[in-house]
Amino acid sequence: MRDDEPLIWHEATNSYIVSRYEDVERVFKDKKGEFSTENYDWQIEPVHGRTILQLSGREHAVRRALVAPAFRGSDLRDKFLPVIERNSRELIDRFRTTGSVDLVTDYASRFPVNVIADMLGLDKSDYDRFHGWYTAVIAFLGNLSGDQEVIRAGERTRVEFAEYMLPIIRERREAPGDDLLSVLCTAEVDGVRMSDEDIKAFCSLLLAAGGETTDKAIAAIFANLLRHPDQLAAVRADRELISRAFAETLRYTPPVHMIMRQSTTEVALSGGTVPAGATVTCLIGAANRDGNRYRDPDSFDIFREDLAATNAFSAAADHLAFALGRHFCVGALLAKAEVEIGVGQLLDAMPDIRLADGFDPVEHGVFTRGPQSLPVRFTPISG
């Protein structure tokens, strides 16, 4: 597709599919106002409610200014790095003496959800409910076949999550603490504050987007490094390389493979023209393997010179896994912190980590993609 049909009409998804780096980059950066995020009206609003992803212009800028400070700078460093370190350590303590673990089911799928629940000041004993909710939301997002049971489960999730969150939000408004939910309840920019519904929708989005993506990123980093022992050894010897391993993983095996946009006008892209009012599906995985953008694109190489780790977690990134432009992932630095801390602690606990005998990691998924299981063995550290 990328070489011969870089723009195709795909009837099953009722969308135009683009797969070249230059086209996906153009859609995301959208310097001419040719694309909107109105696709989220039907893609995620039924399960989250109206979120920041759907906003544009000043409304988007103000809303992003309300939530962004919690995910960068001193708030992230002082408030939430200890939360990340504690939650990672608690999970690793459960298996550090066993000699074996499934990094997906026992760590990666739990770690980011626990961190977000802890940041929000929610009860981590509700983990199973959070995980069930975000699994239903991700299934709804990737429900290309229109499965009615998936639709119903997603709609139930919106109701159940609202019933859970709204009373807690009202309590935090009355008696705010120093958790992220209290920050959201009290934040104000230009006289604008978030409504209870705004906060609930953002928390729903945060659990799903922040849980599913970091979960798959951590699993993918280890799958990639375990397949490349020399690079694993380099990362173990120099933990500064974890960010490079994360950046290359985001390029090579991104957790999110598809992001949609809506054309606001007729747009000429490689291979043809998209009419106004059409859905455009951007294939991130394909664009991130475009040979016109990357040397030897199908090789995992944390030392590659055509991918800069220094800006890989900003809107100036050389890869497309966090999108680009005004809707660049607001949680990118949180994800970076989670990955650097989590991978570092796992390497400390498992100095000779190796895949279980005969196991070959296989990716699963369409919209989001990663290993469903990653059993590893290691020699427990005595004392």
Side-chain angles (χ1 to χ4, degrees):
M1 284 167 54
R2 190 177 53 222
D3 291 344
D4 302 323
E5 293 192 68
L7 177 71
I8 66 167
W9 168 252
H10 189 241
E11 192 168 338
T13 56
N14 196 32
S15 71
Y16 287 85
I17 295 181
V18 296
S19 51
R20 288 184 180 171
Y21 186 98
E22 62 176 345
D23 293 321
V24 175
E25 179 186 39
R26 177 179 169 186
V27 174
F28 286 165
K29 287 187 174 179
D30 187 31
K31 293 179 179 178
K32 299 179 181 178
E34 297 167 320
F35 298 94
S36 76
T37 54
E38 289 181 5
N39 52 289
Y40 290 129
D41 295 357
W42 54 265
Q43 200 178 5
I44 65 170
E45 186 170 341
V47 287
H48 286 310
R50 191 162 176 79
T51 72
I52 192 172
L53 292 177
Q54 295 160 266
L55 305 179
S56 59
R58 174 154 180 74
E59 190 181 11
H60 175 263
V62 169
R63 193 63 53 80
R64 191 169 175 111
L66 283 166
V67 302
F71 297 94
R72 64 183 185 224
S74 60
D75 269 14
L76 178 61
R77 182 182 64 249
D78 300 337
K79 278 188 180 179
F80 300 129
L81 285 188
V83 172
I84 294 169
E85 291 168 347
R86 180 175 66 249
N87 278 280
S88 176
R89 192 165 51 249
E90 286 173 356
L91 287 171
I92 293 172
D93 283 347
R94 297 181 185 179
F95 59 77
R96 69 170 71 243
T97 61
T98 65
S100 66
V101 65
D102 187 320
L103 282 179
V104 173
T105 57
D106 297 326
Y107 183 85
S109 67
R110 293 180 173 269
F111 173 46
V113 181
N114 285 2
V115 166
I116 290 166
D118 207 345
M119 287 174 65
L120 289 168
L122 303 178
D123 189 341
K124 282 193 296 180
S125 67
D126 290 323
Y127 162 82
D128 288 333
R129 295 175 75 185
F130 299 144
H131 192 268
W133 284 329
Y134 95 61
T135 300
V137 167
I138 296 298
F140 186 97
L141 180 70
N143 186 23
L144 301 180
S145 64
D147 184 303
Q148 289 301 305
E149 183 49 45
V150 173
I151 292 171
R152 286 191 291 271
E155 291 169 344
R156 281 197 305 273
T157 291
R158 177 173 176 171
V159 173
E160 291 171 4
F161 190 72
E163 290 174 346
Y164 176 87
M165 280 301 302
L166 290 174
I168 299 174
I169 291 168
R170 288 192 284 269
E171 289 172 8
R172 299 294 162 85
R173 288 209 191 275
E174 293 293 323
D178 61 356
D179 54 82
L180 176 58
L181 186 55
S182 296
V183 171
L184 297 174
C185 287
T186 56
E188 184 174 322
V189 172
D190 293 346
V192 177
R193 298 179 74 169
M194 295 173 74
S195 69
D196 290 2
E197 175 63 25
D198 290 338
I199 295 169
K200 184 273 299 179
F202 183 75
C203 291
S204 177
L205 179 66
L206 184 60
L207 274 168
E212 175 80 358
T213 54
T214 308
D215 163 357
K216 286 180 163 46
I218 291 171
I221 286 172
F222 273 97
N224 291 332
L225 289 175
L226 286 163
R227 286 195 184 108
H228 298 83
D230 55 332
Q231 296 184 58
L232 174 60
V235 171
R236 184 185 303 288
D238 180 4
R239 301 303 169 83
E240 296 293 317
L241 292 175
I242 294 175
S243 63
R244 294 196 66 89
F246 187 20
E248 174 66 346
T249 291
L250 289 170
R251 184 202 69 82
Y252 182 71
T253 47
V256 178
H257 270 245
M258 295 183 187
I259 289 179
M260 290 178 167
R261 291 289 188 261
Q262 210 81 15
S263 59
T264 59
T265 184
E266 186 175 274
V267 186
L269 296 170
S270 300
T273 301
V274 175
T279 301
V280 177
T281 299
C282 298
L283 298 188
I284 293 170
N288 274 349
R289 300 274 191 105
D290 190 335
N292 289 320
R293 175 62 184 79
Y294 299 104
R295 176 193 53 77
D296 197 12
D298 294 322
S299 294
F300 178 79
D301 179 8
I302 66 173
F303 299 107
R304 66 170 52 251
E305 296 177 355
D306 48 12
L307 182 71
T310 50
N311 61 9
F313 310 98
S314 74
D318 300 333
H319 61 84
L320 302 165
F322 287 133
L324 294 169
R326 63 184 175 275
H327 285 283
F328 179 81
C329 175
V330 73
L333 290 176
L334 172 64
K336 179 177 184 281
E338 288 178 313
V339 166
E340 288 181 345
I341 290 168
V343 171
Q345 289 189 0
L346 286 165
L347 290 175
D348 287 341
M350 300 183 288
D352 61 348
I353 184 174
R354 55 200 181 273
L355 286 169
D357 291 346
F359 185 81
D360 182 29
V362 176
E363 295 180 354
H364 295 269
V366 179
F367 261 85
T368 61
R369 189 165 172 80
Q372 286 185 323
S373 180
L374 194 63
V376 297
R377 302 284 181 267
F378 60 96
T379 304
I381 302 171
S382 60

